[in-house]
Amino acid sequence: MAQKRQVSTTGRLMKYILQGLHVLPDLTNERAYQRAVIASQKPYRLAFLNRLLFGATEYNGRNNVLEISPKYVDDRQLIFYLHGGGYWDQPSIMHYRLLKKLADQTQHRIIMPIYPKAPQHQAQESIQWTKDAFLETLEKEQIDVNQIVLMGDSAGAGLALSLLQQLRDAKLALPKQLILISPWFDISDTNHEMKVVQPFDPMLEVAVLDIMAAGYQGELDLDDPLISPLYADFANMPAINVITGTYDVLHPDAVKFQEIADDGGWDVHTTIYPEMYHDFPEIPIPEGKAAIQQMVQLIKER
């Protein structure tokens, strides 16, 4: 594991701003829960602002698969990005901001599928839907799978690892590498170290994550490797690069995943940013910029 050591004043100040924004809905509140249920039943529509500011468009005429392209395109690779949101929320404007920066700096097109959301849609449906969207993209693009970089943040990172398992189990070719931001490795949230980190996390609350997990798991056990990839076997898989911050309640499981990978000899590399919080590469702070530069370098090197 590599660790970045400097923490900016802006990065520290942003923690207090995020605490006041209440990024996750308070699903312990019945009204907020019911609003989330209704939202999960509605089809996704690309907002005009995201179309205007970030150049997002419907991919292949589909409302539930989006594309962001740079001005100058390098067709040698494609990024397939799975957004986070606890498996409940649609992509935020910060996702679009991140993807536009990645597209421009790598010169690669980015495909972002809008997978079905909990609690109306549950794990087995979302995982199968994502696999189908990935294979349809391969067919549409007429490219080899090793030309694809698979990326995801938070729940989307967990879904990316689910997709990887599905491809392996179906004996299909695998993407060239994975880049995971603040991954949700274990939706059972049983790592006791999460309680130690919780007072420092300005964004996530374990109690809310548990509600999201219960709404997403469907017929699967919470420790099923498809929804909690901490329990999966990733031997003989492509390189998995993890970016995590110590003020993220999901960070302890990122550390645990790296330890398991080291024991198994898996190709996993984790970079730790001290005092950084969940999905910090999406936030306009020096550490976020550094993480984006790190991801761009990983994409260009492979």
Side-chain angles (χ1 to χ4, degrees), residues 210-283:
D210 287 345
I211 294 172
M212 289 181 152
Y216 175 68
Q217 71 176 106
E219 298 179 357
L220 301 176
D221 293 332
L222 286 175
D223 61 355
D224 188 296
L226 277 180
I227 55 176
S228 289
L230 185 68
Y231 306 105
D233 183 354
F234 290 100
N236 302 314
M237 289 287 205
I240 299 173
N241 298 281
V242 177
I243 294 173
T244 179
T246 60
Y247 280 6
D248 180 352
V249 294
L250 303 184
H251 172 70
D253 279 334
V255 173
K256 189 173 182 179
F257 183 75
Q258 182 65 64
E259 292 171 350
I260 294 170
D262 290 343
D263 289 342
W266 306 347
D267 192 358
V268 175
H269 307 273
T270 300
T271 303
I272 299 172
Y273 287 76
E275 298 184 32
M276 284 297 102
Y277 19 82
H278 191 68
D279 273 358
F280 71 92
E282 299 178 3
I283 301 171

Coordinates of all heavy atoms in Angstrom, one line a residue, residues 210-283:
D210 N -26.5 0.6 6.1 CA -27.1 -0.7 6.4 C -28.5 -0.7 5.8 O -29.0 -1.8 5.3 CB -27.2 -0.8 7.9 CG -25.9 -1.2 8.5 OD1 -25.0 -1.6 7.8 OD2 -25.8 -1.1 9.8
I211 N -29.2 0.4 5.8 CA -30.6 0.5 5.2 C -30.4 0.3 3.7 O -31.2 -0.5 3.0 CB -31.3 1.8 5.5 CG1 -31.6 1.9 7.0 CG2 -32.6 1.9 4.7 CD1 -32.1 3.2 7.5
M212 N -29.5 0.9 3.1 CA -29.2 0.8 1.6 C -28.9 -0.6 1.3 O -29.4 -1.2 0.3 CB -28.1 1.7 1.2 CG -28.5 3.2 1.2 SD -27.2 4.3 0.7 CE -28.1 5.7 0.0
A213 N -28.1 -1.3 2.1 CA -27.7 -2.7 1.9 C -28.9 -3.6 1.9 O -29.1 -4.5 1.1 CB -26.6 -3.1 2.9
A214 N -29.7 -3.4 2.9 CA -30.9 -4.2 3.0 C -31.9 -4.1 1.9 O -32.5 -5.0 1.4 CB -31.7 -3.9 4.3
G215 N -32.0 -2.8 1.3 CA -32.8 -2.6 0.2 C -32.3 -3.1 -1.1 O -33.0 -3.4 -2.1
Y216 N -30.9 -3.4 -1.1 CA -30.3 -3.8 -2.4 C -30.1 -5.3 -2.4 O -30.1 -5.9 -3.5 CB -28.9 -3.1 -2.5 CG -28.1 -3.6 -3.7 CD1 -28.4 -3.3 -5.0 CD2 -26.9 -4.3 -3.4 CE1 -27.7 -3.7 -6.0 CE2 -26.1 -4.7 -4.5 CZ -26.5 -4.4 -5.8 OH -25.7 -4.8 -6.9
Q217 N -29.9 -6.0 -1.3 CA -29.4 -7.4 -1.3 C -30.4 -8.3 -2.0 O -30.0 -9.4 -2.5 CB -29.1 -7.8 0.1 CG -30.4 -8.0 1.0 CD -30.0 -8.6 2.3 OE1 -30.1 -7.9 3.3 NE2 -29.6 -9.9 2.4
G218 N -31.7 -8.1 -1.9 CA -32.6 -9.0 -2.5 C -32.6 -10.4 -1.9 O -32.6 -10.5 -0.7
E219 N -32.4 -11.4 -2.7 CA -32.4 -12.8 -2.2 C -31.0 -13.2 -1.8 O -30.9 -14.4 -1.3 CB -33.0 -13.7 -3.3 CG -34.4 -13.4 -3.6 CD -35.0 -14.4 -4.7 OE1 -34.2 -15.2 -5.2 OE2 -36.1 -14.3 -5.1
L220 N -30.0 -12.4 -1.9 CA -28.6 -12.8 -1.6 C -28.3 -12.5 -0.2 O -28.8 -11.5 0.4 CB -27.7 -12.0 -2.5 CG -27.8 -12.3 -4.0 CD1 -26.8 -11.4 -4.8 CD2 -27.6 -13.7 -4.4
D221 N -27.4 -13.3 0.4 CA -26.9 -13.0 1.7 C -26.0 -11.8 1.7 O -25.4 -11.5 0.6 CB -26.2 -14.2 2.3 CG -27.0 -15.4 2.6 OD1 -28.3 -15.1 2.8 OD2 -26.5 -16.5 2.5
L222 N -25.9 -11.0 2.7 CA -25.1 -9.8 2.7 C -23.6 -10.1 2.5 O -22.9 -9.2 2.0 CB -25.3 -9.1 4.1 CG -26.6 -8.3 4.3 CD1 -26.6 -7.7 5.7 CD2 -26.8 -7.2 3.2
D223 N -23.2 -11.3 2.8 CA -21.8 -11.7 2.6 C -21.6 -12.5 1.3 O -20.5 -13.0 1.1 CB -21.2 -12.4 3.8 CG -21.9 -13.7 4.1 OD1 -22.9 -14.0 3.4 OD2 -21.5 -14.5 5.0
D224 N -22.6 -12.5 0.5 CA -22.4 -13.1 -0.9 C -21.3 -12.3 -1.6 O -21.4 -11.1 -1.7 CB -23.7 -13.1 -1.6 CG -23.7 -13.9 -2.9 OD1 -22.9 -13.5 -3.8 OD2 -24.4 -14.9 -3.0
P225 N -20.4 -13.0 -2.2 CA -19.3 -12.3 -2.9 C -19.7 -11.4 -4.1 O -19.0 -10.5 -4.4 CB -18.4 -13.5 -3.5 CG -18.7 -14.6 -2.6 CD -20.2 -14.5 -2.2
L226 N -20.9 -11.7 -4.6 CA -21.4 -10.8 -5.7 C -21.8 -9.4 -5.2 O -21.7 -8.5 -6.0 CB -22.6 -11.5 -6.4 CG -22.3 -12.5 -7.5 CD1 -23.5 -13.1 -8.1 CD2 -21.4 -11.9 -8.6
I227 N -22.2 -9.3 -4.0 CA -22.6 -8.0 -3.5 C -21.6 -7.5 -2.4 O -21.6 -6.3 -2.1 CB -24.0 -8.0 -2.9 CG1 -24.3 -9.0 -1.9 CG2 -25.0 -8.1 -4.1 CD1 -25.7 -9.0 -1.3
S228 N -20.8 -8.4 -1.9 CA -19.7 -8.0 -0.9 C -18.5 -8.7 -1.4 O -18.0 -9.7 -0.9 CB -20.1 -8.5 0.5 OG -21.1 -7.8 1.0
P229 N -17.8 -8.1 -2.4 CA -16.7 -8.7 -3.0 C -15.4 -8.9 -2.1 O -14.4 -9.5 -2.6 CB -16.4 -7.8 -4.2 CG -17.0 -6.5 -3.9 CD -18.2 -6.8 -3.1
L230 N -15.5 -8.4 -0.9 CA -14.4 -8.6 0.0 C -14.3 -10.1 0.2 O -13.2 -10.6 0.6 CB -14.8 -8.0 1.4 CG -13.7 -8.1 2.5 CD1 -12.5 -7.2 2.1 CD2 -14.3 -7.6 3.8
Y231 N -15.4 -10.9 0.0 CA -15.4 -12.4 0.2 C -15.1 -13.1 -1.1 O -15.3 -14.4 -1.1 CB -16.7 -12.8 0.9 CG -16.9 -12.0 2.1 CD1 -17.9 -11.0 2.2 CD2 -16.2 -12.2 3.3 CE1 -18.2 -10.3 3.3 CE2 -16.4 -11.5 4.5 CZ -17.4 -10.5 4.4 OH -17.6 -9.8 5.6
A232 N -14.8 -12.5 -2.2 CA -14.6 -13.1 -3.5 C -13.1 -13.5 -3.6 O -12.2 -13.0 -2.9 CB -15.1 -12.2 -4.6
D233 N -12.9 -14.3 -4.6 CA -11.5 -14.7 -5.0 C -11.1 -13.9 -6.3 O -11.8 -14.1 -7.3 CB -11.5 -16.2 -5.2 CG -10.1 -16.7 -5.6 OD1 -9.1 -15.9 -5.7 OD2 -9.9 -17.9 -5.7
F234 N -10.1 -13.1 -6.2 CA -9.6 -12.4 -7.3 C -8.3 -12.8 -7.8 O -7.5 -12.0 -8.4 CB -9.7 -10.9 -7.0 CG -11.1 -10.3 -6.9 CD1 -11.6 -10.1 -5.6 CD2 -11.9 -10.1 -8.0 CE1 -12.9 -9.6 -5.5 CE2 -13.2 -9.6 -7.9 CZ -13.7 -9.4 -6.6
A235 N -7.9 -14.0 -7.6 CA -6.7 -14.6 -8.1 C -6.8 -14.6 -9.7 O -7.9 -14.8 -10.2 CB -6.5 -16.0 -7.6
N236 N -5.6 -14.4 -10.3 CA -5.6 -14.4 -11.8 C -6.5 -13.5 -12.4 O -7.1 -13.8 -13.5 CB -5.8 -15.9 -12.3 CG -4.8 -16.9 -11.7 OD1 -3.6 -16.6 -11.6 ND2 -5.4 -18.0 -11.2
M237 N -6.7 -12.3 -11.8 CA -7.5 -11.3 -12.4 C -6.7 -10.1 -12.9 O -5.5 -10.0 -12.6 CB -8.5 -10.8 -11.3 CG -9.6 -11.7 -10.9 SD -10.9 -11.9 -12.2 CE -12.3 -12.4 -11.2
P238 N -7.3 -9.2 -13.6 CA -6.5 -8.0 -14.1 C -6.1 -7.2 -12.8 O -6.6 -7.4 -11.7 CB -7.5 -7.2 -14.9 CG -8.6 -8.2 -15.3 CD -8.6 -9.2 -14.2
A239 N -5.2 -6.2 -13.1 CA -4.8 -5.4 -12.0 C -5.9 -4.6 -11.4 O -6.8 -4.0 -12.2 CB -3.7 -4.4 -12.5
I240 N -6.0 -4.5 -10.1 CA -7.0 -3.8 -9.4 C -6.4 -2.7 -8.6 O -5.6 -2.9 -7.7 CB -7.9 -4.7 -8.5 CG1 -8.6 -5.8 -9.3 CG2 -8.9 -3.8 -7.7 CD1 -9.3 -6.8 -8.4
N241 N -6.7 -1.4 -9.0 CA -6.1 -0.2 -8.3 C -7.1 0.4 -7.4 O -8.2 0.7 -7.9 CB -5.5 0.7 -9.3 CG -4.4 0.2 -10.1 OD1 -3.3 0.1 -9.7 ND2 -4.7 -0.3 -11.3
V242 N -6.9 0.6 -6.1 CA -7.8 1.1 -5.2 C -7.3 2.5 -4.7 O -6.2 2.6 -4.3 CB -8.0 0.2 -4.0 CG1 -9.0 0.7 -3.0 CG2 -8.5 -1.2 -4.5
I243 N -8.2 3.5 -4.6 CA -7.9 4.8 -4.1 C -8.9 5.0 -2.9 O -10.1 4.9 -3.0 CB -8.1 5.9 -5.1 CG1 -7.1 5.7 -6.2 CG2 -8.0 7.3 -4.5 CD1 -7.3 6.7 -7.4
T244 N -8.3 5.3 -1.7 CA -9.1 5.4 -0.5 C -8.6 6.4 0.4 O -7.4 6.8 0.3 CB -9.1 4.0 0.2 OG1 -9.9 4.1 1.4 CG2 -7.7 3.5 0.6
G245 N -9.4 6.9 1.3 CA -9.0 7.9 2.3 C -9.3 7.5 3.7 O -10.3 6.8 3.9
T246 N -8.5 7.9 4.6 CA -8.6 7.4 6.0 C -9.8 7.9 6.8 O -10.2 7.4 7.8 CB -7.3 7.7 6.8 OG1 -7.2 9.2 6.9 CG2 -6.1 7.1 6.2
Y247 N -10.5 9.0 6.2 CA -11.7 9.5 6.9 C -13.0 9.0 6.2 O -14.0 9.7 6.3 CB -11.7 11.1 6.9 CG -10.8 11.7 8.0 CD1 -10.0 10.9 8.8 CD2 -10.8 13.1 8.1 CE1 -9.2 11.5 9.8 CE2 -10.0 13.6 9.1 CZ -9.2 12.9 9.9 OH -8.4 13.4 10.9
D248 N -12.9 7.9 5.6 CA -14.0 7.2 4.9 C -14.3 6.0 5.7 O -13.4 5.1 6.0 CB -13.6 6.9 3.5 CG -14.7 6.2 2.7 OD1 -15.8 5.8 3.3 OD2 -14.5 6.0 1.5
V249 N -15.6 5.8 6.2 CA -15.9 4.6 6.9 C -15.7 3.3 6.1 O -15.6 2.2 6.7 CB -17.4 4.6 7.5 CG1 -17.6 5.7 8.5 CG2 -18.4 4.7 6.3
L250 N -15.6 3.4 4.8 CA -15.3 2.2 4.0 C -13.8 1.9 3.9 O -13.4 0.9 3.4 CB -15.9 2.4 2.6 CG -17.4 2.7 2.5 CD1 -17.8 2.8 1.0 CD2 -18.2 1.7 3.2
H251 N -13.0 2.8 4.4 CA -11.5 2.6 4.3 C -11.0 1.4 5.0 O -10.2 0.7 4.5 CB -10.8 3.9 4.9 CG -9.4 3.7 5.1 ND1 -8.5 3.7 4.0 CD2 -8.6 3.5 6.2 CE1 -7.3 3.5 4.4 NE2 -7.3 3.4 5.7
P252 N -11.6 1.0 6.2 CA -11.0 -0.2 6.8 C -11.2 -1.5 6.0 O -10.3 -2.4 6.0 CB -11.9 -0.3 8.1 CG -12.2 1.1 8.4 CD -12.5 1.7 7.1
D253 N -12.2 -1.6 5.2 CA -12.4 -2.7 4.3 C -11.4 -2.7 3.1 O -11.0 -3.7 2.6 CB -13.8 -2.9 3.9 CG -14.7 -3.6 4.9 OD1 -14.1 -4.3 5.8 OD2 -15.9 -3.3 4.9
A254 N -11.1 -1.4 2.7 CA -10.1 -1.3 1.6 C -8.7 -1.8 2.1 O -8.0 -2.5 1.4 CB -10.0 0.1 1.2
V255 N -8.4 -1.5 3.4 CA -7.2 -2.0 4.0 C -7.2 -3.6 4.1 O -6.3 -4.3 3.7 CB -6.9 -1.4 5.3 CG1 -5.7 -2.1 6.0 CG2 -6.7 0.1 5.2
K256 N -8.4 -4.1 4.5 CA -8.5 -5.5 4.7 C -8.4 -6.2 3.3 O -7.8 -7.3 3.2 CB -9.9 -5.8 5.3 CG -10.1 -7.2 5.7 CD -11.4 -7.4 6.5 CE -11.6 -8.8 7.0 NZ -12.9 -9.0 7.7
F257 N -9.0 -5.6 2.3 CA -8.9 -6.2 0.9 C -7.5 -6.3 0.5 O -7.1 -7.3 -0.1 CB -9.8 -5.4 0.0 CG -9.9 -6.0 -1.4 CD1 -10.6 -7.1 -1.7 CD2 -9.1 -5.4 -2.5 CE1 -10.7 -7.6 -3.0 CE2 -9.2 -5.9 -3.8 CZ -10.0 -7.0 -4.0
Q258 N -6.7 -5.3 0.7 CA -5.3 -5.3 0.3 C -4.6 -6.4 1.1 O -3.7 -7.1 0.5 CB -4.7 -3.9 0.6 CG -3.2 -3.8 0.1 CD -3.0 -4.0 -1.4 OE1 -3.5 -3.1 -2.1 NE2 -2.4 -5.0 -1.8
E259 N -4.9 -6.5 2.3 CA -4.2 -7.6 3.1 C -4.5 -9.0 2.6 O -3.7 -9.8 2.5 CB -4.6 -7.5 4.6 CG -4.1 -6.2 5.3 CD -4.7 -6.0 6.7 OE1 -5.7 -6.8 7.0 OE2 -4.2 -5.2 7.4
I260 N -5.8 -9.2 2.2 CA -6.2 -10.5 1.6 C -5.5 -10.7 0.3 O -5.0 -11.8 0.0 CB -7.7 -10.5 1.4 CG1 -8.4 -10.5 2.8 CG2 -8.2 -11.7 0.6 CD1 -9.9 -10.3 2.7
A261 N -5.4 -9.6 -0.5 CA -4.7 -9.7 -1.8 C -3.2 -10.0 -1.6 O -2.7 -10.8 -2.4 CB -4.9 -8.4 -2.5
D262 N -2.6 -9.4 -0.6 CA -1.2 -9.7 -0.4 C -1.0 -11.1 0.0 O 0.0 -11.8 -0.5 CB -0.7 -8.8 0.7 CG -0.6 -7.3 0.3 OD1 -0.6 -7.0 -0.9 OD2 -0.5 -6.4 1.2
D263 N -1.9 -11.7 0.8 CA -1.8 -13.1 1.2 C -2.0 -14.0 0.0 O -1.3 -15.1 -0.1 CB -2.8 -13.4 2.3 CG -2.5 -12.7 3.6 OD1 -1.3 -12.3 3.8 OD2 -3.4 -12.6 4.5
G264 N -2.9 -13.6 -0.9 CA -3.2 -14.5 -2.0 C -2.3 -14.2 -3.3 O -2.5 -14.9 -4.3
G265 N -1.5 -13.2 -3.2 CA -0.7 -12.9 -4.4 C -1.4 -12.3 -5.5 O -1.0 -12.4 -6.7
W266 N -2.5 -11.6 -5.2 CA -3.3 -10.9 -6.2 C -2.7 -9.6 -6.7 O -1.9 -9.0 -5.9 CB -4.8 -10.6 -5.7 CG -5.5 -11.8 -5.2 CD1 -5.1 -13.1 -5.3 CD2 -6.7 -11.8 -4.4 NE1 -6.1 -13.9 -4.7 CE2 -7.0 -13.1 -4.1 CE3 -7.5 -10.8 -3.9 CZ2 -8.1 -13.5 -3.3 CZ3 -8.6 -11.1 -3.2 CH2 -8.9 -12.4 -2.9
D267 N -3.0 -9.2 -7.9 CA -2.5 -8.0 -8.4 C -3.4 -6.8 -8.0 O -4.2 -6.3 -8.8 CB -2.5 -8.1 -10.0 CG -1.6 -6.9 -10.6 OD1 -1.1 -6.1 -9.9 OD2 -1.5 -6.9 -11.9
V268 N -3.2 -6.4 -6.7 CA -4.0 -5.3 -6.1 C -3.0 -4.2 -5.6 O -2.1 -4.6 -4.9 CB -4.9 -5.8 -5.0 CG1 -5.7 -4.7 -4.3 CG2 -5.9 -6.8 -5.6
H269 N -3.3 -3.0 -5.9 CA -2.5 -1.9 -5.4 C -3.4 -0.8 -4.8 O -4.3 -0.3 -5.5 CB -1.7 -1.3 -6.6 CG -0.9 -2.3 -7.3 ND1 0.4 -2.8 -7.0 CD2 -1.3 -3.1 -8.4 CE1 0.8 -3.7 -7.8 NE2 -0.2 -3.9 -8.7
T270 N -3.2 -0.5 -3.5 CA -4.0 0.5 -2.8 C -3.2 1.7 -2.5 O -2.1 1.6 -2.0 CB -4.6 -0.1 -1.5 OG1 -5.4 -1.2 -1.9 CG2 -5.4 0.9 -0.8
T271 N -3.8 2.9 -2.8 CA -3.2 4.2 -2.4 C -4.1 4.8 -1.4 O -5.3 5.0 -1.6 CB -3.1 5.1 -3.7 OG1 -2.3 4.5 -4.7 CG2 -2.4 6.4 -3.3
I272 N -3.5 5.2 -0.3 CA -4.2 5.8 0.9 C -3.9 7.3 1.0 O -2.7 7.7 1.0 CB -3.8 5.1 2.2 CG1 -4.1 3.6 2.1 CG2 -4.5 5.8 3.4 CD1 -3.6 2.8 3.3
Y273 N -4.9 8.1 1.0 CA -4.8 9.5 1.2 C -5.2 9.9 2.6 O -6.4 9.7 3.0 CB -5.7 10.3 0.2 CG -5.2 10.3 -1.2 CD1 -5.3 9.1 -2.0 CD2 -4.5 11.4 -1.8 CE1 -4.8 9.1 -3.3 CE2 -4.1 11.4 -3.1 CZ -4.2 10.2 -3.8 OH -3.7 10.2 -5.1
P274 N -4.3 10.3 3.5 CA -4.7 10.6 4.9 C -5.7 11.7 5.0 O -5.7 12.7 4.2 CB -3.3 11.1 5.5 CG -2.3 10.5 4.6 CD -2.9 10.5 3.2
E275 N -6.6 11.6 5.9 CA -7.7 12.5 6.2 C -8.6 12.8 5.0 O -9.3 13.8 5.1 CB -7.1 13.8 6.7 CG -6.3 13.7 8.0 CD -5.8 15.0 8.6 OE1 -6.4 16.0 8.4 OE2 -4.7 15.0 9.2
M276 N -8.6 12.0 4.0 CA -9.5 12.2 2.9 C -10.8 11.3 3.1 O -10.7 10.3 3.8 CB -8.9 11.8 1.6 CG -7.9 12.9 1.1 SD -8.7 14.5 0.8 CE -8.3 15.4 2.3
Y277 N -11.9 11.8 2.6 CA -13.2 11.3 2.9 C -13.7 10.6 1.6 O -13.0 10.5 0.6 CB -14.1 12.4 3.3 CG -13.6 13.8 2.9 CD1 -13.8 14.3 1.6 CD2 -12.9 14.5 3.8 CE1 -13.3 15.5 1.3 CE2 -12.3 15.8 3.5 CZ -12.5 16.2 2.2 OH -12.0 17.4 1.8
H278 N -14.9 10.1 1.7 CA -15.5 9.3 0.6 C -15.6 10.0 -0.7 O -16.0 11.2 -0.7 CB -16.9 8.9 1.1 CG -17.5 7.8 0.2 ND1 -17.0 6.5 0.2 CD2 -18.6 7.9 -0.6 CE1 -17.8 5.8 -0.7 NE2 -18.7 6.6 -1.2
D279 N -15.1 9.4 -1.8 CA -15.2 9.9 -3.1 C -14.5 11.3 -3.3 O -15.0 12.1 -4.1 CB -16.7 10.0 -3.5 CG -17.2 8.8 -4.2 OD1 -16.4 7.8 -4.3 OD2 -18.4 8.7 -4.5
F280 N -13.5 11.5 -2.5 CA -12.8 12.8 -2.6 C -12.2 13.2 -4.0 O -12.1 14.4 -4.3 CB -11.7 12.9 -1.5 CG -10.5 12.0 -1.8 CD1 -9.4 12.5 -2.5 CD2 -10.4 10.7 -1.4 CE1 -8.3 11.8 -2.8 CE2 -9.3 9.9 -1.7 CZ -8.3 10.4 -2.4
P281 N -11.9 12.2 -4.9 CA -11.5 12.7 -6.2 C -12.6 13.5 -7.0 O -12.2 14.2 -8.0 CB -11.2 11.3 -6.9 CG -10.8 10.4 -5.8 CD -11.8 10.8 -4.7
E282 N -13.8 13.4 -6.6 CA -14.9 14.2 -7.2 C -14.9 15.6 -6.7 O -15.6 16.4 -7.3 CB -16.2 13.5 -6.9 CG -16.4 12.1 -7.5 CD -17.7 11.5 -7.1 OE1 -18.6 12.2 -6.5 OE2 -17.9 10.3 -7.5
I283 N -14.2 15.9 -5.7 CA -14.3 17.2 -5.0 C -13.1 18.1 -5.4 O -12.0 17.6 -5.5 CB -14.3 17.0 -3.5 CG1 -15.5 16.1 -3.1 CG2 -14.4 18.4 -2.8 CD1 -15.5 15.7 -1.7

